Amino acid sequence: MQRIGEGAARVFKTLAGQDRDEPMGSLVFALYFFLLIIAMMLILAWLTGAPVECIVRPAC
């Protein structure tokens, strides 16, 4: 499990353009986590066929 976490951290660092030996900043990790959540929400909305109005405005 630790190797998987280290591999994921290396991938995040590479995508962020940081050197692999530098410690990854919490801001970079939080940004990637936020983007992952947004992507998951959009995929879920696409799979369920939610109308665009419901995605843009929460009060549907």
Side-chain angles (χ1 to χ4, degrees), residues 41-42 45-46 48-60:
M41 288 173 45
L42 290 174
W46 176 67
T48 59
V52 176
E53 297 83 26
C54 293
I55 297 171
V56 175
R57 287 178 296 191
C60 183

Side-chain angles (χ1 to χ4, degrees), residues 3 6-7 11 23 25-26 31 34 38 40 46-48 55-56:
R3 283 189 286 161
E6 289 172 358
V11 169
S26 60
L31 175 66
F34 176 72
I38 296 295
M40 288 173 45
W46 176 67
L47 288 174
T48 59
I55 297 171
V56 175

